[in-house]
Amino acid sequence: MENANQRSTVVNAADFRDIDPGDRLLMGPGPSDVPARTLQAIAAPCIGHLDPYFLSIMNEVQQLLRFLFQTSNELTIPVSGTGSAGMETCFVNLVEPGDEVAVCVNGVFGTRMADIVDRIGGKLIRIDAEWGTAIDPQLLQDAIKGRHPKVVAVVHAETSTGVCQPLEDLARIAHDAGALFLVDCVTSLGGMPVAIDEMTIDAAYSGTQKCISGPPGLSPVSFSPAAVRAMEHRKTPVVSWYLDLSMVRDYWGTDRKYHHTAPINMIYSLREALRLIAEEGLEARHERHRLNHRALVAGLEAMGLAMLVPESIRLPMLNAVHIPGGVDDLTVRKTLLNQYGIEIGGGLGQFAGKVWRIGLMGHSCRRKNVFLLLAALESVLKTEGYTAQPGARDAVAAVYDPAD
Ligand SMILES: *Cc1c(COP(=O)(O)O)cnc(C)c1O
């Protein structure tokens, strides 16, 4: 359609064609490919949000989410909104103006958490680490010495860099200081172990479109009994009406009190995505992510490319790789999309134009996709004047079939 017409208040319905995005292979930082079964679930009839059938679906979704989070937390629900809504839910419910909050920042999403704390009027204790590295527990220890943070917050899987944050020491330091431990599990959940009870996480949030491989639009959130107590002992009302869990949980709990209309069909699709995860099994799913990650890295390195993050703290589902000198970031990504239908991510912030972020999330994380991406990338790089070293295929095959 002509640009000039877009402000017209009259439309011709025939100008609008059927939606048909074509085939894509989503190997960026999210969304990931959504399995057909999960998409089909959306098309089930929309029914009332208090319909007994839907209430039973809600119960099942909560049950499946507790399985995925490995938690017995009663308050475990999908918040209506994307991962950022889950992030905001955790902070607005746990933080009151004047509360001290320690936030670990080593990428885009830590920065976003710090921003939210500022907006709520919390007293931010910010712990910064270089992007592409993990937070050193000693930095947290030093930063909160003599202070009384109510919450210590950290990102488990920093999607902007590909760093996996070890949580054990941070959890211990947080609890020793009497703080609640809040963790962003948006990218980790469904792709690597996130057992929140065992890891003593008090508040966790995730998103449906990363390793859960559902469409974006819901944010699984779980609060421990300690986090619920903190919520119940607030002196001020939660600044967000929509995300106030004290009201939202009256709908997800036994009262079934109307708060906002649940996104019925999105919840169907989440249920199907979770059912697929239960069918596969958590351990098998995590192992699948590890294996395909190792194969991808073997292939990239065999081609002569270098990973951004040291091996010991690399995420399996998000692989940041340096763009070789002389190669144009945008040209490569555009060609991958236009000629191969493959989407990968560019760098964010200080890594813009310097790294690519290759996702192996959920349904996208498959052997054939590893081979496809490597072959496509090799060919596109060649047109950009970069000739990859030979042997990527063998290096990948050696990971999948070590006996050969
Ligand atoms: C994607 C992502 C978010 C934000 O989720 P949206 O669904 O984009 O709102 C938050 N944290 C991390 C680590 C993410 O990867």
Side-chain angles (χ1 to χ4, degrees):
M1 240 193 310
E2 291 292 316
N3 233 0
N5 283 339
Q6 283 185 358
R7 280 168 181 248
S8 164
T9 55
V10 180
V11 298
N12 177 2
D15 288 343
F16 298 84
R17 280 180 277 168
D18 288 347
I19 292 172
D20 180 14
D23 269 338
R24 291 284 188 280
L25 181 50
L26 300 181
M27 299 187 75
S32 59
D33 283 345
V34 181
R37 259 174 64 182
T38 305
L39 282 176
Q40 278 155 10
I42 294 179
C46 185
I47 60 177
H49 61 100
L50 293 173
D51 187 298
Y53 181 80
F54 186 66
L55 299 183
S56 72
I57 294 288
M58 289 166 68
N59 290 345
E60 288 178 357
V61 165
Q62 287 184 282
Q63 207 181 337
L64 287 161
L65 281 179
R66 289 189 192 104
F67 154 74
L68 182 57
F69 274 123
Q70 291 287 287
T71 184
S72 56
N73 289 340
E74 188 178 346
L75 184 49
T76 303
I77 61 166
V79 166
S80 308
T82 65
S84 305
M87 183 189 288
E88 220 155 61
T89 297
C90 290
F91 284 100
V92 296
N93 282 278
L94 296 176
V95 177
E96 296 186 68
D99 284 344
E100 290 190 317
V101 180
V103 177
C104 301
V105 181
N106 59 345
V108 166
F109 295 103
T111 310
R112 192 176 288 184
M113 296 198 297
D115 185 8
I116 291 174
V117 171
D118 271 337
R119 285 167 189 244
I120 300 170
K123 275 197 210 135
L124 178 66
I125 306 170
R126 185 172 159 142
I127 297 100
D128 274 282
E130 211 178 305
W131 287 31
T133 71
I135 304 286
D136 177 354
Q138 190 62 44
L139 285 181
L140 171 65
Q141 186 87 70
D142 294 345
I144 64 173
K145 198 166 175 221
R147 304 183 73 166
H148 302 284
K150 185 177 182 188
V151 173
V152 168
V154 67
V155 177
H156 189 200
E158 191 33 275
T159 322
S160 60
T161 61
V163 166
C164 172
Q165 176 65 47
L167 294 178
E168 212 175 288
D169 290 341
L170 298 183
R172 184 179 38 75
I173 294 166
H175 293 307
D176 286 351
L180 296 166
F181 191 44
L182 192 169
V183 181
D184 176 318
C185 306
V186 175
T187 285
S188 52
L189 190 69
M192 59 188 282
V194 180
I196 64 171
D197 286 3
E198 194 186 312
M199 293 155 108
T200 66
I201 295 171
D202 292 297
Y205 60 91
S206 188
T208 43
Q209 79 276 25
K210 312 270 167 108
C211 291
I212 296 174
S213 275
L218 290 173
S219 174
V221 165
S222 187
F223 272 34
S224 74
V228 171
R229 273 196 301 280
M231 219 174 83
E232 286 169 345
H233 286 93
R234 293 177 62 100
K235 297 184 198 74
T236 58
V238 171
V239 293
S240 164
W241 182 90
Y242 194 71
L243 301 176
D244 183 342
L245 286 184
S246 69
M247 297 193 290
V248 174
R249 74 170 168 162
D250 286 343
Y251 172 58
W252 283 89
T254 45
D255 287 0
R256 304 299 187 182
K257 216 164 113 192
Y258 166 67
H259 177 255
H260 66 271
T261 309
I264 309 289
N265 298 58
M266 293 305 294
I267 289 171
Y268 292 160
S269 80
L270 174 58
R271 179 182 177 280
E272 196 61 20
L274 294 171
R275 197 159 72 117
L276 281 165
I277 294 175
E279 283 172 15
E280 180 175 12
L282 289 182
E283 269 180 35
R285 193 174 179 90
H286 300 155
E287 177 52 30
R288 172 164 64 84
H289 281 80
R290 274 194 299 271
L291 179 66
N292 290 320
H293 158 74
R294 284 202 294 117
L296 176 70
V297 172
L300 292 171
E301 290 184 338
M303 283 165 63
L305 302 177
M307 303 300 290
L308 172 72
V309 174
E311 188 174 354
S312 60
I313 52 167
R314 256 178 223 158
L315 287 172
M317 67 287 286
L318 195 287
N319 300 272
V321 59
H322 286 285
I323 299 173
V327 170
D328 183 58
D329 170 25
L330 219 57
T331 308
V332 170
R333 281 191 287 130
K334 269 193 187 153
T335 312
L336 279 175
L337 191 66
N338 295 338
Q339 292 188 0
Y340 298 89
I342 300 176
E343 176 181 282
I344 65 167
L348 289 181
Q350 64 196 73
F351 293 125
K354 301 210 167 70
V355 304
W356 289 311
R357 291 179 302 148
I358 304 172
L360 287 172
M361 298 182 177
H363 192 56
S364 295
C365 180
R366 282 181 283 170
R367 183 184 296 216
K368 70 165 188 176
N369 294 347
V370 170
F371 280 109
L372 273 171
L373 182 272
L374 289 170
L377 184 61
E378 184 173 334
S379 131
V380 176
L381 281 174
K382 198 161 183 183
T383 62
E384 274 290 288
Y386 178 91
T387 304
Q389 289 165 31
R393 191 185 302 263
D394 289 346
V396 175
V399 172
Y400 287 126
D401 301 301
D404 292 359

